[in-house]
């Protein structure tokens, strides 16, 4: 096991030094994740809406991608990366002469040789898969499309203003090229499970006839991308409803289990089953109408009552205050600001950093040292949905509202603690006045 960990860190260092991996691959990379990928994706689509454009979003579905990796092709990729000699022979040994068995009770099947795929559960496998699929992003961008990948999940999208026929033609050619590359690299695409979303008001566009590998891809009213439900208006209402249903169900189960749980274990269970779901990708919830986020606030209130054994008719403000919980709206702002800090100080992906720009003035002033960010001009941010919800607009606005010493926090841990304290004071000042957060 130690030799695999050593190989992992050495290969990771080499990938970082050579900047080899696709810049829009977020799977299994430090500072990257499903949330950063979705924040960038939704930001692009919101800015496109502000320009009066539509966006085709296609979610590709792969079958058992890690199990179909061709060893010869992977070794060629490693060699092109600069690996050779003993190192390349070591990776060949790592991949070769493996087998699998199925055990059921006392019965064990005969060994079956594995001639392809990367070993499941190995620390090296996700990194090797990222290397294997690196050319995919280059193929997609060659057609003028943008993409975000998380391991074998690929979201490719194309924004356009008027010519639906040209957009469909471009998307079809890109999908055909992607399918050909997948076939040559022994990866199996599922056209039947590939989903398409058209973001924008498609009322005047007419029929959209997008075909992929002979399968017609109908437009969906909503799709699930990396665990988040997106709709054609980017309202996030379907996502909020889905999270609300799931968390209410988990709370119901916890109530049934409560008599059997030690008191000190109850907060851990609530955080694992409820709070984690409320917080997943909640950077996408910033700026949503209160009537939408109220569904999640009701869940958080119920969880707080459960933990404190208070009555549901008791006022929630002192309950949340005693638990030191930020309300849902402020948790979303917290997440956006943490992402901003990470991005500005080199802990986040480059594709988020390119959306944030330091505020520079022609003549030095006191504000030049305050660490402010440039907010996009009004002429490029026409819609309320863009001003209040797009990361590239909201993040600078929220960041500039922070106290100067908070923007210059010496570390991420210090920033997170100070930020929570600052938002906590703001949240309960609002709640103390009897207003919704």
């Amino acid at each position: 096991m130690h030799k695999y960990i050593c190989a992992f860190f050495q290969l990771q260092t080499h990938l970082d030094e050579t900047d080899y991996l696709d810049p829009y691959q977020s799977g299994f990379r430090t500072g990257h994740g499903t949330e950063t990928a979705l924040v960038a994706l939704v930001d692009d689509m919101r800015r496109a809406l502000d320009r009066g454009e539509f966006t085709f979003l296609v979610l590709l579905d792969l079958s058992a991608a890690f199990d179909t990796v061709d060893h010869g092709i992977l070794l060629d990729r490693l060699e092109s990366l600069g690996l050779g000699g003993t190192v390349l022979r070591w990776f060949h040994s790592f991949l070769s002469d493996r087998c699998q068995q199925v055990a059921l009770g006392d019965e064990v099947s005969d060994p079956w040789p594995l001639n392809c795929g990367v070993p499941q559960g190995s620390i090296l496998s996700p990194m090797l898969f990222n290397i294997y699929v690196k050319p995919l992003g280059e193929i997609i961008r060659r057609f003028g499309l943008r993409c975000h990948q998380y391991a074998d999940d690929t979201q490719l999208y194309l924004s356009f203003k008027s010519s639906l026929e040209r957009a469909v033609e471009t998307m079809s050619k890109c999908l055909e090229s992607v399918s050909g590359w997948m076939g040559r690299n022994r990866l199996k695409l599922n056209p039947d499970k590939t989903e398409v979303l058209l973001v924008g008001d498609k009322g005047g566009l007419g029929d959209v006839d997008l075909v992929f590998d002979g399968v017609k891809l109908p437009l969906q009213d909503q799709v699930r991308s990396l665990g988040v439900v997106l709709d054609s208006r980017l309202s996030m209402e379907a996502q909020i409803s889905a999270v609300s249903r799931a968390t209410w169900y988990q709370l119901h189960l916890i109530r049934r289990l409560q008599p059997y749980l030690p008191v000190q274990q109850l907060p851990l269970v609530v955080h694992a089953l409820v709070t984690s779901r409320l917080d997943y990708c909640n950077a996408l919830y910033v700026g949503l109408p209160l009537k939408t986020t109220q569904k999640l606030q009701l869940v958080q209130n119920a969880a707080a009552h459960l933990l404190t054994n208070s009555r549901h008719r008791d006022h929630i403000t002192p309950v949340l205050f005693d638990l030191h919980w930020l309300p849902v709206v402020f948790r979303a702002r917290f997440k956006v600001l943490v992402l901003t800090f990470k991005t500005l100080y080199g802990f986040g992906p480059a594709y988020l950093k390119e959306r944030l720009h330091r505020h520079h003035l022609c003549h030095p002033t006191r504000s030049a040292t305050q660490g402010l960010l440039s907010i996009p001009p009004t002429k490029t941010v026409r819609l309320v949905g863009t001003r209040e919800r797009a990361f590239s607009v909201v993040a600078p606005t929220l960041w500039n509202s922070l106290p100067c010493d908070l923007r210059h926090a010496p570390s991420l841990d210090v920033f997170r603690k100070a930020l929570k304290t600052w938002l906590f004071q703001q949240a309960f000042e609002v709640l103390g006045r009897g207003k919704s957060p």
Side-chain angles (χ1 to χ4, degrees):
M1 179 61 70
H2 293 297
K3 62 183 178 183
Y4 295 147
I5 295 175
C6 182
F8 170 83
F9 284 112
Q10 290 187 37
L11 182 56
Q12 181 67 64
T13 301
H14 184 67
L15 291 173
D16 291 340
E17 290 176 349
T18 58
D19 197 23
Y20 178 81
L21 293 179
D22 190 283
Y24 300 98
Q25 170 63 264
S26 300
F28 315 110
R29 299 178 66 183
T30 302
H32 298 63
T34 54
E35 185 157 24
T36 59
L38 284 167
V39 164
L41 170 67
V42 173
D43 183 66
D44 285 339
M45 294 193 294
R46 287 200 185 282
R47 298 302 295 267
L49 279 176
D50 203 274
R51 296 190 299 267
E53 297 176 351
F54 302 93
T55 300
F56 265 131
L57 172 64
V58 178
L59 309 181
L60 299 181
D61 183 83
L62 290 175
S63 295
F66 278 57
D67 297 329
T68 60
V69 169
D70 183 276
H71 292 168
I73 297 175
L74 175 56
L75 291 170
D76 287 342
R77 297 259 202 282
L78 292 173
E79 188 173 12
S80 68
L81 182 55
L83 278 59
T86 303
V87 175
L88 195 61
R89 288 194 296 272
W90 187 91
F91 275 103
H92 183 273
S93 175
F94 171 76
L95 296 168
S96 304
D97 300 324
R98 292 185 176 271
C99 62
Q100 66 180 11
Q101 291 176 295
V102 177
L104 182 61
D106 296 330
E107 300 295 326
V108 180
S109 68
D110 294 331
W112 186 266
L114 294 177
N115 300 317
C116 60
V118 288
Q120 294 290 330
S122 169
I123 190 174
L124 287 169
S125 296
M127 186 185 299
L128 292 175
F129 185 80
N130 282 350
I131 294 172
Y132 191 78
V133 299
K134 197 253 186 180
L136 180 58
E138 299 168 359
I139 292 172
I140 293 171
R141 289 188 289 273
R142 198 178 299 155
F143 288 88
L145 277 72
R146 305 187 71 173
C147 70
H148 280 280
Q149 298 171 267
Y150 189 88
D152 60 335
D153 286 305
T154 301
Q155 291 96 161
L156 53 92
Y157 53 107
L158 173 66
S159 296
F160 62 99
K161 194 149 192 174
S162 57
S163 180
L164 174 63
E165 294 77 10
R166 184 178 301 173
V168 170
E169 181 183 1
T170 301
M171 181 66 75
S172 297
K173 288 181 178 178
C174 180
L175 290 175
E176 182 181 353
S177 184
V178 166
S179 178
W181 183 87
M182 293 280 187
R184 292 189 299 273
N185 287 270
R186 311 295 176 85
L187 297 174
K188 172 63 176 173
L189 272 172
N190 288 325
D192 291 331
K193 294 184 178 180
T194 296
E195 296 184 303
V196 184
L197 180 72
L198 181 60
V199 177
D201 184 7
K202 57 180 181 290
L205 284 180
D207 294 332
V208 177
D209 197 15
L210 189 61
V211 178
F212 180 27
D213 272 4
V215 177
K216 184 175 180 179
L217 302 179
L219 293 181
Q220 306 289 331
D221 293 327
Q222 58 191 43
V223 296
R224 184 177 292 274
S225 175
L226 300 175
V228 171
V229 181
L230 302 175
D231 59 80
S232 59
R233 296 181 294 115
L234 300 180
S235 68
M236 303 304 296
E237 290 178 1
Q239 166 67 7
I240 297 290
S241 296
V243 173
S244 176
R245 287 193 301 270
T247 46
W248 278 120
Y249 177 72
Q250 295 299 328
L251 275 176
H252 173 69
L253 292 181
I254 294 171
R255 287 194 185 96
R256 295 179 62 182
L257 289 172
Q258 188 176 6
Y260 311 100
L261 288 172
V263 175
Q264 65 272 20
Q265 298 298 322
L266 186 59
L268 297 178
V269 174
V270 170
H271 287 310
L273 300 181
V274 178
T275 308
S276 62
R277 286 178 165 84
L278 294 178
D279 287 345
Y280 178 67
C281 289
N282 63 337
L284 300 175
Y285 305 161
V286 71
L288 292 178
L290 290 179
K291 66 177 181 180
T292 302
T293 56
Q294 183 64 15
K295 294 180 180 179
L296 300 187
Q297 188 59 58
L298 292 174
V299 175
Q300 189 192 47
N301 294 350
H305 284 306
L306 176 65
L307 276 182
T308 57
N309 202 27
S310 54
R311 297 172 300 177
H312 289 288
R313 60 176 175 269
D314 291 344
H315 191 47
I316 192 60
T317 300
V319 178
L320 294 176
F321 185 88
D322 289 342
L323 287 171
H324 209 68
W325 280 8
L326 287 173
V328 167
V329 169
F330 287 88
R331 295 175 87 91
R333 296 176 192 173
F334 178 85
K335 181 68 71 65
V336 169
L337 286 166
V338 168
L339 283 177
T340 304
F341 184 91
K342 288 181 176 180
T343 301
L344 292 175
Y345 289 95
F347 306 120
Y351 57 72
L352 287 186
K353 191 170 186 177
E354 67 189 16
R355 300 162 198 273
L356 303 175
H357 306 282
R358 295 286 188 180
H359 183 61
H360 295 294
L361 298 175
C362 298
H363 304 286
T365 63
R366 182 181 300 176
S367 64
T369 62
Q370 292 183 352
L372 299 176
L373 295 177
S374 293
I375 299 174
T378 306
K379 63 181 180 181
T380 65
V381 187
R382 300 177 300 108
L383 303 178
V384 174
T386 311
R387 292 195 297 270
E388 298 182 353
R389 304 174 201 173
F391 177 82
S392 56
V393 183
V394 173
T397 303
L398 291 176
W399 180 262
N400 291 352
S401 70
L402 295 177
C404 184
D405 59 336
L406 193 49
R407 291 195 296 270
H408 290 91
S411 70
L412 178 59
D413 285 342
V414 171
F415 177 78
R416 289 174 65 95
K417 291 175 183 177
L419 175 62
K420 184 176 180 182
T421 300
W422 187 75
L423 287 174
F424 191 80
Q425 293 170 347
Q426 282 202 327
F428 287 95
E429 179 184 354
V430 171
L431 290 174
R433 294 198 299 265
K435 296 182 180 180
S436 299

